[in-house]
């Protein structure tokens, strides 16, 4: 872990990655951060002991640069970095919809680029980060990206052609579960429960179900069937979900998210 690593853009994801790397053993002296606001820079220096620098200084000093900015800011950032990045640096993009080819076109020929799509559970070290290699990235570059993002959860390698699907399924995925919990909480209130009790019941059910899915090795259909007794309460609820087209709506929602990721990749940020 001696190679200097710079996190450019320290919003929620960037800061989560920074804190995870420190917990995993990176020394603050080997980590650089950039931020637009001076008060944010001071906050990061105080909290983590890191040295906030300019984007240009980060590009000059770090062997690995993690670009954790918004997709619409990527072009401007690359223009700023390009004069300072040589082809022996590793550039990791964590911006939704931005292709490795787009980044490679803005940098010196031969610069290795790795594309990563994390999701917000990196904030609690339970993230899933999907990793793809650009045209110049080697197995060693991918392993280094896995080492970094493995500090805040799990990683998965996929061909870049699958990144838009992974963005729809995993990158946006936590929001779907939050939406479901919100709806179920409202239902609990309708059924006569106080909001706090409904919330606690649903959150624990979600945690328990997730652990069972992860640890049991059973197919989700089997786990659902274990709860669904003949003529019972659960099958009546499932029937209503099917009658209202919930399964079809989820599929359509993920297709819409995938399509938007493709639009971002094509430069449509509106």
């Amino acid at each position: 872990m001696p190679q200097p690593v710079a996190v450019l853009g320290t919003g929620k994801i960037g800061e989560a990655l920074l804190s995870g790397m420190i917990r995993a053993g990176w020394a603050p002296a080997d980590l650089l951060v950039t931020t637009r606001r001076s008060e944010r820079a001071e906050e990061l220096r105080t909290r983590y002991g890191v040295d906030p620098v300019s984007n240009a200084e980060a590009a000059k000093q770090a062997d690995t640069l993690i670009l954790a900015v918004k997709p619409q800011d990527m072009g401007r950032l690359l223009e700023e970095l390009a004069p300072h990045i040589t082809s022996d640096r590793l550039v990791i993009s964590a911006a939704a919809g931005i292709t490795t080819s787009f980044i490679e076109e803005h940098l010196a020929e031969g610069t290795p680029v790795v594309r990563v799509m994390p999701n917000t559970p990196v904030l609690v070290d339970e993230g899933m980060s999907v990793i793809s290699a650009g045209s110049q990235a080697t197995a060693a570059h991918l392993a280094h990206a896995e080492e970094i993002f493995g500090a805040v959860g799990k990683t998965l390698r996929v061909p870049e052609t699958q990144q838009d699907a992974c963005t729809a399924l995993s990158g946006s995925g936590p929001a779907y579960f939050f939406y479901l919990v919100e709806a179920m909480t409202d239902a609990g209130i309708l059924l006569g429960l106080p909001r706090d009790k409904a919330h606690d019941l649903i959150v624990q059910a979600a945690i328990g179900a997730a652990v069972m899915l992860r640890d049991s090795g059973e197919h989700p259909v089997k786990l659902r069937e274990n709860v669904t007794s003949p003529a019972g309460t659960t099958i009546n609820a499932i029937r209503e979900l099917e009658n209202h087209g919930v399964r079809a709506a989820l599929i359509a929602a993920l297709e819409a998210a995938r399509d938007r990721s493709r639009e971002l990749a094509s430069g449509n940020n509106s």
Side-chain angles (χ1 to χ4, degrees):
M1 303 179 189
Q3 299 180 2
V5 176
V7 181
L8 287 77
T10 44
K12 289 184 178 180
I13 297 295
E15 183 177 355
L17 189 58
L18 174 67
S19 63
M21 292 172 68
I22 291 174
R23 289 193 302 276
W26 269 267
D30 292 327
L31 298 172
L32 303 171
V33 297
T34 74
T35 183
R36 291 179 176 177
R37 297 180 291 110
S38 58
E39 59 270 27
R40 175 63 168 162
E42 189 57 36
E43 180 182 322
L44 294 169
R45 180 184 286 109
T46 301
R47 186 175 298 170
Y48 301 108
V50 294
D51 184 21
V53 297
S54 67
N55 290 331
E57 283 302 314
K60 293 175 185 177
Q61 297 181 39
D63 292 317
T64 300
L65 293 96
I66 303 169
L67 312 185
V69 299
K70 295 178 180 179
Q72 57 267 33
D73 296 331
M74 184 63 77
R76 189 184 316 111
L77 176 62
L78 290 172
E79 289 178 2
E80 185 178 355
L81 296 177
H84 310 290
I85 296 180
T86 54
S87 61
D88 59 343
R89 309 295 175 84
L90 171 60
V91 176
I92 301 174
S93 169
I98 302 298
T99 64
T100 57
S101 61
F102 176 85
I103 297 173
E104 289 167 353
E105 289 169 2
H106 285 75
L107 301 178
E109 185 176 354
T111 302
V113 178
V114 172
R115 177 177 173 181
V116 182
M117 183 68 247
N119 59 13
T120 56
V122 299
L123 297 169
V124 293
D125 293 346
E126 290 291 348
M128 173 57 81
S129 298
V130 183
I131 298 176
S132 301
S135 63
Q136 304 300 315
T138 66
H141 294 131
L142 288 173
H144 188 45
E146 288 173 333
E147 180 185 19
I148 292 171
F149 283 84
V152 289
K154 293 187 176 182
T155 62
L156 178 69
R157 293 189 195 185
V158 301
E160 190 170 8
T161 54
Q162 296 177 359
Q163 274 281 359
D164 292 322
C166 291
T167 296
L169 195 63
S170 177
S172 299
Y176 314 145
F177 288 97
F178 299 146
Y179 182 86
L180 179 61
V181 168
E182 178 187 0
M184 291 177 69
T185 300
D186 288 343
I189 295 168
L190 180 65
L191 296 174
L193 292 171
R195 177 175 292 276
D196 59 341
K197 288 185 171 59
H199 177 81
D200 289 348
L201 289 168
I202 294 160
V203 169
Q204 186 56 40
I207 293 170
V211 171
M212 291 177 72
L213 280 167
R214 184 191 64 191
D215 296 347
S216 70
E218 296 280 4
H219 193 282
V221 170
K222 175 63 175 176
L223 294 174
R224 177 178 60 78
E225 288 176 344
N226 290 342
V227 190
T228 310
S229 55
T233 58
T234 306
I235 191 61
N236 274 273
I238 296 296
R239 180 186 62 185
E240 288 303 312
L241 291 173
E242 294 293 348
N243 287 341
H244 286 80
V246 172
R247 187 186 302 266
L250 282 171
I251 293 172
L254 267 67
E255 288 179 330
R258 177 207 58 196
D259 293 345
R260 180 55 179 156
S261 182
R262 288 175 176 173
E263 289 175 357
L264 290 170
S266 67
N268 181 6
N269 295 321
S270 60

